[in-house]
Amino acid sequence: MGARGETQAPIVFVGESPGLQEIKLRKPFMGQSGKVLNSVLPNDIPYYITNAVQCFPKAKDPAKMAKAAKCCNSRLEHELRNLETKPKIIVAMGNPAMWSLTGNYALKITQERGKLFPSDLSEHGIIPVLHPAALLRGMGSYRKFVKDIEYANDLARGESPRIPPKYTYEVPETLSDVNAAIHKIKDLPLLIGDIETGGLNNRTDPLLCLGVTWKPKHVIIFSEEFIQDLKPLFQGSAKWVWHNGKFDIAFLRREGLNAKVDEDTMLLSYCLDENPGLHDLEQVSSDLLGAPDYKYMVKPYLPKKTTSYTNIPKDVLHDYAHLDCGNTEGIFQIMRNQVKRDPSLELLYTKTLIPASELLYHVEHNGFLVDQEQLKKNDIRLEKQIEEEASKLNEIAGYSINANSPIQMSKLLYDDLGLKGRGRSTNKKSLEKLPQNHPAIIALKAFRKVAKARSTYVTGLAKRLFDDGRVHPTFLLHGTKTGRLACRGPNLQNIPRDAELRNQFIAPKGYILIEVDLNQAELRCLAALSGDEAMCEIYNSDGMSLHDEVATALFGPNWDSEQKMRAKAVNFGIVYGREAYSLAEEFNTSTSEGQRMINSWFARFPKAHQFIQICRQAPMKNQTLVTLFGRKKRFGLVTKHNLKDLQNEAANFPHQSIASDITLHAAIRVRPKLTKMDTRIVNLVHDSIVMEVPNNPETINNVKHLVIKTMRQVPIDWGITRVPFIADAKEGTRWGSLKKVA
DNA sequence: TGGTTTAGCCC
DNA sequence: GTACGGGCTAAACCAT
């Protein structure tokens, strides 16, 4: 019972366990998941569908599902062996099916999906894929799911499995062999490189080897002891290909090698799919080449995730490195052509992403100087405040309580103190619903503020400091779905707007900080993109201000400061797709008043409204949004469950993306000129550029002039002409105390 | 030890 | 029942 399809089918789909629909109808995949599966089932060949588990476990936690899968294992095997014909391929959907069919209960579906596992239950074996229900919950990539199933369908139709690529490699062992190898390849048109390192940190961790290839299927590995002899290799005319080249060139440049990023397979992968988390080399190689898992080679030497690659024996490391390098060559050939065939992606890749690699190498390398005195002062001050607030909460509770624990605080507020709110959450919004003058609420809010400030922005920052007194973050070009940069280790894009905390970031002696930021960049983009006459008029006039105009539109000409605040919030809320309820919450007013504000805004700016509406239709119409910088937003699986979220993403995508690219391009353009003025970019925050500038009036003036002018010019050069872009400069010695100077 | 949940900071 | 787009980090908690 519980199966459907043809018993002589060449392809078998194995799901997890029946849901209510399936129990009722005695057939698998009849509900929402069934719809997803139906969209990818082959329509030219028969198929058979069953489940790994036939019972209906009450709780679907992994341990119980594993147990159930083990129980049902022999039943499933019996079912599959008794099909009329042996299938060519079996698709395992979700962890339990994969566990049961492979017998390996340690596997994880997100890591194994799309790979071919041998099995005598079918001719070619098992292909694990994500379960459709996981896709419906917004996990994983629908595009990958479709590709995985397509591969399985092709095998069922009689095509051959992909053959995992194999490469030969050599490791020159004498200096003369190294020199001969360099001489042979340094002026070839294209070299593909990949390094292995003793850690992720280019300031402290060793460079262990460099793999280079120039033609399919053969790699040269230059080992550690010859790194210093590789200078001529990087002085030839070859163009260099890397996977996340910004990482590699930072290590190589440290060693005095003139490495550069001409091509980058990670960025190609990001061009082809903007969703994060899909672009690491192993993953791309597996998807495009059918490359098998080769991490197993080095795993025995890496007991912990953090163990350094220095613990791997040299011969094993070189063996591993040659696969990385060879695979990079393989995926480059495929993806470079795919990008070339799409003019917008080609534009994005060549004009934005590759130049941005070089920019960000420098920003990361420069780092941001931290004042350790100020760090210490904040540490002491916040520690004291944390203790004070914590002891207040202890006293209120009457026992020792951890204010950092949401569970304990929830118990305190809703059980011990009997406060009545909405649900049992203790987050900021929920606390707003509780009596604001209650000492527990006051203390908890204060505690949260200072605890966050200290743990993340003081002690957390201190852990990231290097010998040079600076933090050196990593900026990710592939970290967002919109094209904004992401930043980590530490994240310098979310430092609190609190003078004491921002003052931890300073200019070195003899320099000052200048921050130039675009004024209302996203709203200006919305005006320019939509061509809304009223918005454009405001931004093109000298005396008008959007916030003032909207305040007048919403509340009449005699608005007060509170009403102006609301107007401002509506302006920024609109571009994020905020709704009446959420605005009403913020201002403690009725939903109908929230709705009135939104309606008035859209009435004042009808074309902006229309533009947003058109964007919102993209997910339903299965359209891809494209910006003039070539960024794309693709909508994978659209369901009634995620439609609203996707519409909000769509509505927000164009102006967020373009505003960010204007800043990025301005930074790319000014950086070489800044270098000549002994000026360094030390941070980028979506619509602003922070620099350290020699403290003399002439340079300061030149830098401000250059950056402001460039931020104004970039949109014009990219065809955004309906609205001017205005940038403001602030300066000072500490980031928290910058002052606007005429 | 590692993954998930909750919370809070930025544009 | 939900309600705002895009991110990162820390601490607690829980399973292994």
Side-chain angles (χ1 to χ4, degrees):
Chain A
M1 93 123 202
R4 69 180 164 107
E6 317 259 342
T7 52
Q8 78 284 14
I11 184 163
V12 173
F13 294 88
V14 182
E16 191 178 290
S17 65
L20 285 174
Q21 284 292 313
E22 286 76 13
I23 299 260
K24 233 185 275 172
L25 297 163
R26 306 186 121 241
K27 283 179 180 176
F29 284 99
M30 302 306 290
Q32 281 298 308
S33 294
K35 281 190 191 161
V36 176
L37 181 58
N38 283 337
S39 70
V40 293
L41 287 172
N43 48 25
D44 53 339
I45 46 170
Y47 51 82
Y48 180 84
I49 305 179
T50 187
N51 275 315
V53 177
Q54 291 294 20
C55 55
F56 185 53
K58 272 190 190 130
K60 287 203 175 190
D61 67 275
K64 290 217 175 74
M65 286 312 296
K67 219 176 205 176
K70 267 181 196 162
C71 277
C72 269
N73 186 283
S74 57
R75 196 269 318 150
L76 176 65
E77 192 177 331
H78 185 259
E79 181 184 347
L80 296 177
R81 286 202 194 284
N82 280 287
L83 294 169
E84 278 179 57
T85 56
K86 186 173 180 172
K88 285 184 185 293
I89 185 71
I90 298 174
V91 180
M93 297 188 285
N95 272 322
M98 175 182 63
W99 292 334
S100 183
L101 289 164
T102 62
N104 183 347
Y105 288 74
L107 299 176
K108 286 175 185 161
I109 194 76
T110 46
Q111 283 168 23
E112 308 301 335
R113 53 140 284 277
K115 296 175 186 169
L116 193 55
F117 285 73
S119 163
D120 62 359
L121 292 170
S122 77
E123 187 179 320
H124 296 308
I126 316 286
I127 293 184
V129 304
L130 250 64
H131 194 281
L135 296 167
L136 287 165
R137 287 198 301 272
M139 303 161 63
S141 160
Y142 179 66
R143 296 161 65 84
K144 302 262 183 217
F145 174 78
V146 172
K147 276 196 173 167
D148 294 344
I149 303 276
E150 272 170 7
Y151 180 39
N153 287 342
D154 285 342
L155 292 176
R157 291 184 187 107
E159 286 188 23
S160 308
R162 281 184 305 217
I163 299 160
K166 284 207 167 80
Y167 314 97
T168 55
Y169 69 101
E170 58 190 288
V171 188
E173 283 176 10
T174 66
L175 185 56
S176 66
D177 286 350
V178 167
N179 286 335
I182 291 172
H183 182 73
K184 187 166 78 174
I185 63 176
K186 74 182 175 67
D187 293 314
L188 291 170
L190 204 63
L191 295 176
I192 295 89
D194 183 62
I195 61 170
E196 302 301 331
T197 65
L200 299 180
N201 200 298
N202 63 62
R203 310 188 76 82
T204 53
D205 297 326
L207 177 50
L208 301 177
C209 68
L210 165 71
V212 184
T213 183
W214 66 97
K215 62 174 184 188
K217 314 290 184 196
H218 187 71
V219 180
I220 300 178
I221 305 287
F222 296 102
S223 64
E224 195 169 11
E225 60 266 39
F226 296 117
I227 294 295
Q228 294 298 324
D229 304 305
L230 299 180
K231 281 206 172 89
L233 181 58
F234 294 97
Q235 288 160 348
S237 57
K239 298 275 184 210
W240 282 82
V241 185
W242 311 90
H243 190 86
N244 191 12
K246 175 161 68 66
F247 175 89
D248 299 63
I249 64 170
F251 279 85
L252 293 162
R253 288 180 183 182
R254 180 192 71 191
E255 302 298 331
L257 306 174
N258 182 31
K260 60 193 195 310
V261 181
D262 298 300
E263 305 271 4
D264 193 312
T265 49
M266 189 188 74
L267 299 178
L268 288 169
S269 172
Y270 177 62
C271 284
L272 295 164
D273 189 341
E274 70 282 1
N275 294 304
L278 314 164
H279 311 298
D280 61 283
L281 183 54
E282 290 247 8
Q283 167 104 230
V284 180
S285 305
S286 164
D287 288 337
L288 296 183
L289 309 173
D293 178 15
Y294 52 100
K295 273 266 189 314
Y296 75 91
M297 299 161 60
V298 293
K299 258 192 183 140
Y301 309 99
L302 305 172
K304 283 192 286 183
K305 235 185 179 174
T306 49
T307 312
S308 165
Y309 276 28
T310 47
N311 294 322
I312 301 168
K314 278 284 125 68
D315 53 337
V316 178
L317 184 76
H318 293 160
D319 202 18
Y320 176 76
H322 100 275
L323 288 169
D324 267 354
C325 194
N327 287 339
T328 305
E329 195 274 339
I331 62 174
F332 174 73
Q333 301 301 346
I334 295 169
M335 293 192 295
R336 190 65 189 85
N337 284 321
Q338 287 177 5
V339 166
K340 204 167 266 172
R341 282 198 293 272
D342 184 319
S344 56
L345 296 185
E346 179 71 10
L347 182 76
L348 171 64
Y349 177 69
T350 58
K351 298 288 188 247
T352 303
L353 298 182
I354 292 292
S357 294
E358 179 68 18
L359 165 76
L360 295 178
Y361 159 77
H362 289 280
V363 180
E364 294 172 5
H365 181 76
N366 296 339
F368 206 157
L369 185 63
V370 171
D371 176 7
Q372 296 179 51
E373 292 295 313
Q374 178 74 6
L375 209 57
K376 189 103 187 208
K377 257 169 51 188
N378 283 336
D379 189 37
I380 292 166
R381 172 176 60 88
L382 291 167
E383 188 183 21
K384 199 168 145 243
Q385 290 177 22
I386 289 168
E387 204 151 299
E388 279 170 19
E389 302 303 334
S391 67
K392 279 184 208 164
L393 286 162
N394 279 330
E395 207 164 299
I396 291 166
Y399 54 88
S400 175
I401 191 167
N402 182 353
N404 268 321
S405 165
I407 295 176
Q408 292 180 41
M409 290 320 293
S410 183
K411 180 178 169 295
L412 175 69
L413 297 182
Y414 299 114
D415 298 335
D416 300 356
L417 299 176
L419 300 179
K420 292 277 172 282
R422 257 184 345 191
R424 295 181 56 86
S425 168
T426 70
N427 68 19
K428 223 179 190 175
K429 223 172 173 186
S430 305
L431 295 186
E432 296 300 331
K433 295 284 163 214
L434 300 172
Q436 293 306 292
N437 53 359
H438 194 292
I441 303 298
I442 296 168
L444 179 55
K445 280 160 101 177
F447 176 88
R448 289 255 175 88
K449 185 140 193 96
V450 287
K452 176 70 176 175
R454 180 163 183 257
S455 68
T456 302
Y457 301 107
V458 179
T459 53
L461 190 75
K463 285 181 203 153
R464 299 288 186 173
L465 268 176
F466 285 87
D467 292 351
D468 59 357
R470 289 168 180 260
V471 286
H472 295 272
T474 303
F475 286 89
L476 284 76
L477 272 165
H478 63 299
T480 70
K481 294 182 280 186
T482 58
R484 272 191 179 181
L485 300 176
C487 178
R488 65 187 182 202
N491 182 2
L492 292 187
Q493 296 183 319
N494 71 343
I495 307 298
R497 300 184 64 126
D498 168 297
E500 295 301 313
L501 291 175
R502 285 213 172 182
N503 277 343
Q504 292 172 157
F505 298 90
I506 57 170
K509 246 199 174 73
Y511 293 78
I512 64 159
L513 295 175
I514 295 182
E515 177 167 18
V516 183
D517 69 306
L518 282 169
N519 174 288
Q520 295 177 18
E522 293 189 5
L523 281 159
R524 282 173 198 269
C525 286
L526 180 56
L529 291 168
S530 64
D532 186 276
E533 285 88 0
M535 278 188 100
C536 288
E537 189 200 343
I538 291 167
Y539 283 126
N540 277 293
S541 78
D542 278 340
M544 290 167 94
S545 123
L546 182 77
H547 298 326
D548 291 356
E549 292 300 317
V550 167
T552 303
L554 301 189
F555 308 111
N558 301 317
W559 38 264
D560 58 27
S561 63
E562 164 70 19
Q563 287 171 322
K564 177 158 177 182
M565 260 180 57
R566 293 188 183 189
K568 216 169 155 177
V570 175
N571 282 332
F572 290 115
I574 289 284
V575 299
Y576 296 153
R578 265 181 97 164
E579 290 173 27
Y581 173 90
S582 144
L583 282 173
E585 281 279 280
E586 184 176 341
F587 297 121
N588 228 342
T589 176
S590 65
T591 309
S592 59
E593 169 60 9
Q595 193 59 56
R596 188 193 69 78
M597 294 193 285
I598 290 174
N599 291 347
S600 306
W601 197 97
F602 282 137
R604 179 81 170 83
F605 306 118
K607 278 204 181 162
H609 186 208
Q610 194 187 10
F611 178 80
I612 289 170
Q613 290 304 111
I614 290 170
C615 289
R616 295 185 74 84
Q617 288 167 15
M620 284 173 297
K621 293 185 174 169
N622 203 19
Q623 288 169 333
T624 294
L625 296 173
V626 188
T627 74
L628 45 94
F629 288 93
R631 306 243 182 214
K632 291 197 176 193
K633 173 122 189 93
R634 302 143 170 111
F635 300 96
L637 181 63
V638 183
T639 66
K640 64 173 193 271
H641 176 252
N642 70 5
L643 178 60
K644 201 173 177 190
D645 288 348
L646 296 181
Q647 288 182 310
N648 280 341
E649 289 178 23
N652 189 46
F653 168 72
H655 50 264
Q656 181 178 121
S657 181
I658 290 173
S660 155
D661 272 330
I662 290 171
T663 313
L664 186 58
H665 271 270
I668 291 169
R669 208 181 276 189
V670 295
R671 191 199 58 82
K673 299 172 190 169
L674 293 178
T675 304
K676 287 179 191 143
M677 294 190 263
D678 189 28
T679 293
R680 285 165 290 280
I681 297 175
V682 294
N683 198 10
L684 295 163
V685 194
H686 307 309
D687 58 6
S688 84
I689 301 175
V690 185
M691 294 156 286
E692 52 185 40
V693 188
N695 189 8
N696 70 70
E698 199 193 333
T699 311
I700 290 169
N701 199 44
N702 289 343
V703 166
K704 276 196 291 200
H705 191 255
L706 169 70
V707 179
I708 289 172
K709 197 183 78 182
T710 308
M711 279 184 146
R712 182 189 309 239
Q713 189 60 34
V714 164
I716 295 170
D717 294 347
W718 283 83
I720 308 168
T721 52
R722 289 199 271 223
V723 165
F725 279 74
I726 307 297
D728 305 306
K730 286 178 291 184
E731 59 184 72
T733 53
R734 293 171 177 274
W735 195 23
S737 316
L738 303 183
K739 295 281 177 293
K740 200 169 168 175
V741 181

